Amino acid sequence: YAVPFLSRPPALDGTMAGDVGFDPLGFSNYFDLKWLREAELKHGRVCMLGTLGFLVQEKFQLPLPGFGEKLPIEAFFTVPTGGLWQIFFTLGAIEILSNNGRISPGDMFADGRAPGDLGFDPLNLSSDESALRRFELAELKHGRLAMIGLGGMLHQQLLTKQPTLEQLANFQPLQ
């Protein structure tokens, strides 16, 4: 068990990739486990891309007005309001279309699809069942690490006002 002094939640039976019985707040007692896993995978995927974006933004900027910020936190505030609304609505449309309009925990998995499986497999990685299980676990672990890493980079940049790689190369404690 992940937390020795807590009992293992009944829904966490070890059948899903990465299930080690960790649910100290008991969410699995109240919400569908597939819906929780879908949310975990989506947040992990976004954070993996966000982590890469934080590091790339520091070294490469578009040669256009308003795109010269090295800090992603400051770059966010240079985006025009119309651009932020475009991003918001595009992501909403992707969310709705990727689930065929099913976005509630009650109907999202009515067709029997697995959490995180959006039918996108151009390299046919799911053809080998053992490799698929290994990839599912790797994606979950990498996503969990990216969620922690992106949170750390975000807070580091808020506190130091320095980009991540610059902070690592020229460490200065907080004043």
Side-chain angles (χ1 to χ4, degrees):
Y1 301 123
V3 183
F5 56 86
L6 294 177
S7 61
R8 185 181 192 104
L12 299 178
D13 57 4
T15 56
M16 295 182 104
D19 177 7
V20 293
F22 184 75
D23 186 13
L25 299 178
F27 287 132
S28 63
N29 297 329
Y30 304 103
F31 299 103
D32 180 22
L33 197 58
K34 288 182 178 180
W35 190 68
L36 293 172
R37 177 52 57 94
E38 177 90 4
E40 182 179 21
L41 286 169
K42 284 183 181 179
H43 284 89
R45 290 169 180 167
V46 167
C47 286
M48 285 188 273
L49 290 171
T51 300
L52 178 64
F54 260 56
L55 298 175
V56 169
Q57 176 75 21
E58 184 175 344
K59 295 295 178 188
F60 305 101
Q61 296 90 32
L62 293 175
L64 300 170
F67 288 95
E69 291 292 337
K70 288 178 75 172
L71 282 176
I73 294 170
E74 292 176 4
F76 175 81
F77 295 105
T78 63
V79 176
T81 306
L84 293 177
W85 280 111
Q86 285 177 340
I87 294 168
F88 177 75
F89 285 119
T90 301
L91 293 177
I94 291 170
E95 180 75 18
I96 290 170
L97 294 174
S98 66
N99 292 314
N100 296 323
R102 300 183 189 119
I103 58 173
S104 71
D107 64 358
M108 186 180 282
F109 303 103
D111 58 359
R113 81 172 175 86
D117 182 8
L118 302 176
F120 181 75
D121 188 11
L123 300 178
N124 200 23
L125 297 174
S126 63
S127 60
D128 180 13
E129 191 66 29
S130 65
L132 177 63
R133 298 295 159 238
R134 210 171 54 247
F135 291 141
E136 285 177 345
L137 181 61
E139 179 186 26
L140 191 66
K141 286 183 174 183
H142 294 160
R144 288 172 178 171
L145 182 61
M147 286 187 267
I148 294 169
L150 186 63
M153 289 193 303
L154 178 74
H155 285 88
Q156 171 264 323
Q157 289 187 13
L158 284 170
L159 291 173
T160 66
K161 304 290 188 239
Q162 281 185 294
T164 302
L165 297 175
E166 183 182 308
Q167 170 74 10
L168 288 172
N170 307 307
F171 177 76
Q172 296 175 9
L174 293 175
Q175 303 297 329

